[in-house]
Amino acid sequence: MDTATFAGNTAWVLTAVIAVALMLPGLALFYGGMVSRKTAMNMMLMVFGSFCVVGVLWIAFGYSAVFGNSIGGLGLLGNPLEFAGLGQLLTAPDDAALPPLALAALHLMFAGLTAGIVAGAAADRMKFGAWLAFAGIWASLVYFPVAHWVFAFDSADGSVRGGWIANTLGAIDYAGSTAIHVNSGVAALALALVLGKRRTWPVQPKAHSLPLTLLGVGLLFTGWIGFDGSGLGAADNNAAVAVFNTVAATCAGVVVWLLVEKIRDGHPTTLGASSGAIAALVAITPSCGAVTPLAALAIGGAAGAVCYFAVALKYKLGFDDALDVTALHLIGGVVGGLLIGILATPEAPSGATGLFYGGGFELLGRQALAILAVFAYTFTVTWVIAKVLDLTMGIRVAAPVEAKGLDISLHAENAYENGEDKAHAPRGHAEQLHHLVGERLRRSRRQPPAKTCGGPADQPAVRSAGRTRRSPTMPGRRGRRRRSPAARCSIRTSAGWGR
């Protein structure tokens, strides 16, 4: 590869890394705005904390487990020790299309965000420490193997074996929806079943800040363009097709969700528009490089309609997926993945032919098999992980903690101070708890201790140690008349000292 092409591809992928990094605050704001004000910071910290935990594991062995040579050539898991620590990636091979660490950085973002997506199902009721433990174990046992199935391709000379979905099955997944969205949606379902319902179920806490949610969607949309556009790691026509289809599908998803919402509920809402955008983005992720722009509109619109109705499934089936991760990511991913088998055109970058273009049912069958395999594996292993953690360390907070709110109970801080709840002083960390209005103001003023009227301080003078203390009724040293005990008591009480 010539130097100019290598430099252009590198610049595009690094730009995509920056765009995808915006999805971290985007996801935190999207989720944080949808929960109550008593759990907003906990929700955001669950997203941020799990991202960092998975990032550490990615460097240690995750990259190797995903992109290492498949153990035994089975396509199930890469060798986790092949690139452990990533020190081997500091130098790019002469024939490399991209710097290895550019690809590693991009997929680190994918891995960390996938764990954060799952957090939405556990809102309002999961222990923070248990969540971080779950995120690390889940990434190691579920995400890394499934990502190997989807993202790891065989080398041209056959010396390196990749994942079975990408190579043996040959399913189409342009930007990794099966590994990210279907995977996280199934995990959210399993985790919600183990956690159980919130104490107010089926009543949902009111979203405390829809502006934050809409801002989060905007950041997610920006990052998604880099997410899908970098699917093949090149700054070329394929990236342009993927980016354009991503934007087209998002527009259709929002319009259709709002239309259905208006017809059924009577009002188009900001939360509905946000949900429609996410549903469409999820659905177009596997298909953005496989369809035409008109088909992208159809996929986005279908996801907006189907996911709208899928939200109600949790009430009918009785599971508490707090922020509808299953409805948006699992169902949206299934819609997008299956529609590839119908709408894929051979003229698109993926080169696949769907049923609509005379390709038969073969591609549709491969797409369905990939989704079913991920569902079965992810649900089973995720349920086991959550159940083992629940039996050993406990994963759900106590009822009083849930009622009070996880922000103040678990983190000793609030998103919005109201002067009544206790929270850390501005410097935070391990400092003593304070009443922000009452206690700190009283300490700063150094008020004298409370005294009770009629006590020893208000008695006449007595002789002691050879000196006579003046009675309050006696004149002062400079001729000033001292107040009577009754007057002094009245002044003291009006100042609040004797309360």
Side-chain angles (χ1 to χ4, degrees):
M1 179 177 293
D2 62 273
T3 304
T5 302
F6 183 83
N9 292 343
T10 301
W12 167 235
V13 171
L14 292 179
T15 302
V17 171
I18 297 173
V20 176
L22 292 175
M23 298 178 79
L24 177 58
L27 183 61
L29 291 170
F30 177 63
Y31 280 173
M34 284 197 291
V35 298
S36 71
R37 61 187 295 140
K38 298 190 297 182
T39 58
M41 299 312 299
N42 171 262
M43 188 72 259
M44 292 183 175
L45 191 56
M46 287 177 73
V47 172
F48 187 66
S50 60
F51 179 92
C52 295
V53 168
V54 175
V56 171
L57 299 177
W58 180 259
I59 296 168
F61 61 86
Y63 177 89
S64 295
V66 174
F67 292 106
N69 194 10
S70 186
I71 298 175
L74 300 176
L76 299 178
L77 182 67
N79 183 356
L81 302 179
E82 185 173 351
F83 302 105
L86 303 187
Q88 305 92 321
L89 304 186
L90 294 176
T91 303
D94 294 336
D95 60 345
L98 284 172
L101 282 179
L103 179 67
L106 185 64
H107 281 271
L108 185 154
M109 300 292 173
F110 293 174
L113 288 167
T114 304
I117 292 171
V118 181
D124 301 329
R125 62 199 191 279
M126 188 168 184
K127 294 179 180 178
F128 184 67
W131 163 249
L132 293 185
F134 171 85
I137 299 172
W138 183 84
S140 302
L141 299 182
V142 178
Y143 178 80
F144 295 159
V146 174
H148 179 73
W149 303 353
V150 175
F151 290 122
F153 288 89
D154 295 342
S155 62
D157 59 2
S159 60
V160 177
R161 299 285 295 175
W164 71 274
I165 287 180
N167 302 282
T168 305
L169 182 62
I172 302 299
D173 192 345
Y174 189 87
S177 177
T178 310
I180 296 171
H181 300 295
V182 173
N183 200 10
S184 60
V186 175
L189 174 61
L191 180 60
L193 290 175
V194 176
L195 267 175
K197 304 177 184 69
R198 286 168 291 179
R199 63 183 184 89
T200 59
W201 174 266
V203 178
Q204 295 244 105
K206 184 179 179 180
H208 90 278
S209 180
L210 290 176
L212 287 184
T213 295
L214 191 60
L215 175 60
V217 171
L219 291 174
L220 287 170
F221 176 59
T222 302
W224 227 296
I225 293 174
F227 186 105
D228 288 352
S230 62
L232 297 184
D236 55 14
N237 182 69
N238 296 340
V241 171
V243 167
F244 189 86
N245 283 342
T246 299
V247 176
T250 306
C251 296
V254 173
V255 170
V256 170
W257 189 296
L258 290 177
L259 181 61
V260 175
E261 193 174 42
K262 172 65 176 177
I263 294 172
R264 289 186 57 83
D265 302 334
H267 303 282
T269 65
T270 303
L271 185 58
S274 301
S275 301
I278 298 301
L281 285 165
V282 169
I284 199 61
T285 297
S287 55
C288 59
V291 299
T292 65
L294 281 178
L297 290 176
I299 291 172
V306 172
C307 292
Y308 170 89
F309 291 101
V311 169
L313 287 177
K314 65 181 182 182
Y315 300 105
K316 294 181 179 180
L317 300 179
F319 66 92
D320 187 7
D321 178 359
L323 302 184
D324 301 318
V325 181
T326 303
L328 297 183
H329 292 268
L330 171 57
I331 303 302
V334 169
V335 169
L338 293 180
L339 286 179
I340 293 175
I342 299 173
L343 300 176
T345 172
E347 297 178 356
S350 295
T353 304
L355 184 63
F356 189 78
Y357 291 89
F361 289 94
E362 181 183 358
L363 179 59
L364 181 60
R366 295 201 303 265
Q367 297 299 117
L369 181 57
I371 292 170
L372 288 174
V374 171
F375 185 98
Y377 177 80
T378 298
F379 184 88
T380 302
V381 179
T382 303
W383 190 90
V384 171
I385 293 171
K387 200 66 178 177
V388 170
L389 288 175
D390 191 33
L391 293 174
T392 53
M393 62 186 301
I395 61 175
R396 180 158 182 161
V397 299
V401 173
E402 183 179 347
K404 186 176 182 180
L406 272 59
D407 285 358
I408 194 67
S409 299
L410 301 186
H411 309 293
E413 58 188 1
N414 296 314
Y416 313 97
E417 297 293 353
N418 59 17
E420 298 177 359
D421 292 330
K422 290 182 178 181
H424 278 311
R427 287 178 293 179
H429 308 302
E431 294 182 4
Q432 182 183 357
L433 295 177
H434 298 281
H435 282 293
L436 294 182
V437 174
E439 184 68 14
R440 291 180 63 197
L441 288 179
R442 282 196 294 271
R443 292 188 179 189
S444 64
R445 293 172 180 172
R446 297 183 178 178
Q447 294 179 346
K451 296 181 180 180
T452 303
C453 295
D458 299 311
Q459 300 301 321
V462 296
R463 186 175 300 276
S464 175
R467 294 190 303 170
T468 302
R469 290 183 290 167
R470 296 180 182 272
S471 169
T473 57
M474 296 174 61
R477 291 182 179 178
R478 296 185 180 181
R480 291 181 299 179
R481 189 174 185 278
R482 299 294 294 267
R483 293 185 177 92
S484 67
R488 292 176 63 196
C489 181
S490 175
I491 295 173
R492 187 181 301 115
T493 302
S494 64
W497 298 359
R499 297 175 186 172

